[in-house]
Amino acid sequence: MEKENIAVGLDIGTTKIVAMIGKKNEYGKLEILGVGKSKSLGVARGVVNNITQTIQSIQQAIHEAENNSGYKIKDVVVGIAGQHIRSIQHTDYISRSNPEEVIGGADIQLLIDQVNKLAMLPGEEIIHVLPQEFKIDGQSEIKEPIGMYGGRLESSFHVVVGQASSIRNVGRCIQSSGIELSGLTLEPLASSDAVLSQEEKEAGVALIDIGGGTTDLAIFKDGIIRHTAVIPFGGNVISDDIKEGCSIIEKQAELLKVKFGSAWPGENRDNEIVSIPGLRGREPKEISLKNLSKIIHARVVEIVEQVFTEIKAYGHEDPRKKLIAGIVLTGGGAQLKHIKQLVEYITGMDTRIGYPNEHLAGDSDEEFSSPLYATAVGLVMNSIENKTQSAIRMDEVAPPKPVYRAPVVKREEVRYEEEVEEEEEEKSYAKKDESTGDKIKRSFFDRYVDKIKDFLDNAE
């Protein structure tokens, strides 16, 4: 019987950490087996700034997911974001020794490896090398070069770069939580897998993922990723503004934003007022919903304008680069009332809210089809693509067998050593079988994960 492919995604956000366990059902849809959620402590704007608190938050989310699903997590695919992420466009080529041979996967891998050796700024490392169009012997706009003949293979690449220290800190937190890191994915790419259709990617679309600490952007055109950016503002900045503007505590500011907040001030009448309990016996505070909306509106406009600047930098105004499918909003910030209308008003582009429910099995809990879980769903889908066996059933986790040791008597020493040798031999055979049987199709970034693991092991 074929082993079921259980995938695990871990979304380390500024506001929350989500561990999601899932598998593909017989219809090719994602069946969520368990979810664990914890308040994110030790992460600011997508970057770890307190290792100990982050480890505790990750462990809490992992344990909750394990208890909900009945599976023991071995490894995870992690989303990476943060203000240190930037992207560059790069063109490179290789000259093939035998143009009479058809181009194969090895040639493309050689080209990708060549780009991976690019010199970066000090302290930066390449996270993703994403090929765009190929060119063979001057013939351009080739999407699939495999199987074609040619001597010079050229391609334009979208290269995503991040701070090595930030990436390694994430790796350290994962390893210290008692699990392995099986892959790293840029969070806007994970979100795009969960909420965008292939038709939208072909037509041209901008995905805006509004998180707690950062707003991530991914632009697709002709089915290819064209531009990515991370803006270091998100929903938490809106809450901070409410806290300052209304002189209330953070918890109340967050509740006000979620329950009564609107990105469009004209919606609220002047006489709409909400009363906030005073601190330690003080008088309750009365807050006008119109003023609340004005505070939210000012900050959301700033975030959307920054994103729109990135969309214009990609070249959206060029007719050939036009984003016909417009904008898709996702992430926790997309749940803010009237944000869709405001984005349409500022950008003049069609806008919709992106829900990950298209890829979820029909009987999934409605909560998981919220834009809040878009990145986590995308990471699980990524883990399924990598064919990882990231979790096993709790009842399959073998308890350690009690080993009987006979009292050490001189005449039995020789026999005992032989037993140990036999035992070691069996173990080594078992290891050999396991490693060959569990070989996973290696992508260009698997080696990058290995590099992080080596670094962490040496650091110990």
Side-chain angles (χ1 to χ4, degrees):
M1 192 178 124
E2 197 183 322
K3 243 188 172 181
E4 52 184 356
N5 177 17
I6 308 296
V8 183
L10 185 69
D11 174 15
I12 303 175
T14 307
T15 317
K16 64 178 189 338
I17 290 178
V18 178
M20 189 177 273
I21 305 175
K23 65 172 183 178
K24 260 193 180 171
N25 66 10
E26 63 267 36
Y27 307 109
K29 296 287 183 186
L30 179 64
E31 188 183 322
I32 294 170
L33 302 168
V35 173
K37 198 166 88 171
S38 68
K39 190 169 167 49
S40 181
L41 303 168
V43 180
R45 291 190 173 163
V47 178
V48 174
N49 62 5
N50 187 319
I51 293 273
T52 313
Q53 285 185 327
T54 307
I55 291 167
Q56 286 170 356
S57 298
I58 290 172
Q59 284 174 333
Q60 195 182 327
I62 292 286
H63 289 155
E64 195 183 311
E66 287 179 339
N67 293 339
N68 289 345
S69 65
Y71 282 83
K72 177 79 182 155
I73 294 173
K74 294 191 297 179
D75 55 61
V76 291
V77 167
V78 177
I80 192 105
Q83 60 201 58
H84 61 94
I85 301 287
R86 67 184 183 96
S87 61
I88 51 173
Q89 293 296 119
H90 176 74
T91 304
D92 218 322
Y93 74 93
I94 54 165
S95 296
R96 300 178 66 239
S97 53
N98 187 2
E100 299 303 312
E101 265 183 27
V102 292
I103 293 166
D107 295 303
I108 292 166
Q109 192 58 54
L110 191 66
L111 190 50
I112 288 168
D113 290 344
Q114 197 163 292
V115 178
N116 269 310
K117 289 173 192 161
L118 273 178
M120 289 291 123
L121 293 172
E124 282 191 334
E125 277 191 20
I126 292 171
I127 302 170
H128 286 288
V129 174
L130 305 164
Q132 297 180 323
E133 282 116 342
F134 289 88
K135 205 187 255 189
I136 300 171
D137 294 344
Q139 183 192 339
S140 58
E141 292 183 15
I142 294 167
K143 284 189 182 176
E144 183 51 88
I146 291 176
M148 298 178 81
Y149 290 98
R152 179 186 161 112
L153 176 65
E154 192 178 326
S155 177
S156 52
F157 291 93
H158 183 76
V159 183
V160 180
V161 182
Q163 282 290 339
S165 56
S166 299
I167 297 161
R168 284 173 180 153
N169 283 340
V170 170
R172 161 66 68 212
C173 291
I174 301 294
Q175 209 174 47
S176 302
S177 302
I179 46 178
E180 288 297 314
L181 180 66
S182 66
L184 273 173
T185 300
L186 189 65
E187 290 200 351
L189 293 182
S191 306
S192 67
D193 285 344
V195 302
L196 297 182
S197 67
Q198 193 53 41
E199 288 86 353
E200 283 176 317
K201 288 181 182 178
E202 288 287 342
V205 66
L207 176 81
I208 303 173
D209 185 343
I210 307 170
T214 58
T215 298
D216 305 332
L217 170 72
I219 295 176
F220 292 84
K221 178 76 177 170
D222 301 326
I224 297 164
I225 180 101
R226 300 292 179 181
H227 188 74
T228 51
V230 177
I231 287 128
F233 297 113
N236 289 4
V237 190
I238 301 169
S239 301
D240 286 345
D241 286 357
I242 297 169
K243 185 179 83 173
E244 299 296 327
C246 301
S247 302
I248 54 177
I249 62 170
E250 198 174 325
K251 195 176 173 185
Q252 291 171 336
E254 185 64 32
L255 274 169
L256 262 183
K257 180 182 78 175
V258 173
K259 278 186 179 284
F260 303 104
S262 164
W264 202 266
E267 283 297 312
N268 301 109
R269 289 189 293 278
D270 294 326
N271 61 352
E272 285 183 301
I273 284 168
V274 64
S275 185
I276 300 276
L279 296 173
R280 300 284 288 182
R282 291 175 180 84
E283 288 291 307
K285 241 189 189 74
E286 291 193 335
I287 290 160
S288 154
L289 289 189
K290 198 170 191 75
N291 285 344
L292 176 69
S293 291
K294 279 179 181 171
I295 293 168
I296 294 171
H297 174 80
R299 184 58 84 175
V300 175
V301 166
E302 188 188 347
I303 293 169
V304 175
E305 280 178 346
Q306 285 215 31
V307 174
F308 195 39
T309 304
E310 288 285 348
I311 293 172
K312 284 193 271 197
Y314 147 75
H316 160 66
E317 280 150 6
D318 179 341
R320 287 172 305 164
K321 293 183 170 184
K322 194 168 173 60
L323 304 176
I324 297 161
I327 289 171
V328 176
L329 294 170
T330 192
Q335 297 178 113
L336 187 62
K337 249 182 260 157
H338 305 117
I339 192 165
K340 171 185 175 295
Q341 288 85 336
L342 182 65
V343 172
E344 281 182 340
Y345 177 73
I346 293 171
T347 62
M349 296 164 75
D350 283 343
T351 306
R352 75 171 178 90
I353 306 293
Y355 299 94
N357 51 0
E358 188 189 322
H359 300 284
L360 298 179
D363 57 353
S364 295
D365 193 322
E366 208 172 302
E367 187 195 352
F368 306 139
S369 60
S370 156
L372 207 69
Y373 291 101
T375 304
V377 169
L379 291 169
V380 175
M381 288 166 65
N382 188 285
S383 183
I384 287 172
E385 264 176 52
N386 291 351
K387 295 193 167 47
T388 49
Q389 180 60 41
S390 299
I392 49 172
R393 286 183 186 278
M394 291 282 195
D395 49 22
E396 286 177 22
V397 180
K401 286 180 184 173
V403 179
Y404 173 70
R405 287 276 179 263
V408 179
V409 184
K410 271 197 173 176
R411 67 173 182 276
E412 286 188 11
E413 264 176 19
V414 178
R415 196 173 67 81
Y416 179 72
E417 277 174 21
E418 282 171 359
E419 277 177 8
V420 170
E421 277 172 18
E422 277 175 27
E423 223 172 84
E424 290 300 320
E425 212 173 322
E426 276 172 29
K427 273 186 194 167
S428 72
Y429 279 128
K431 273 183 191 166
K432 279 177 196 166
D433 288 344
E434 184 185 29
S435 62
T436 51
D438 293 349
K439 268 184 186 166
I440 298 166
K441 183 186 169 195
R442 290 172 69 80
S443 71
F444 55 83
F445 94 7
D446 286 340
R447 288 194 297 285
Y448 183 69
V449 174
D450 292 344
K451 215 194 299 179
I452 292 179
K453 284 180 188 167
D454 291 344
F455 172 82
L456 294 172
D457 292 342
N458 294 336
E460 283 170 359

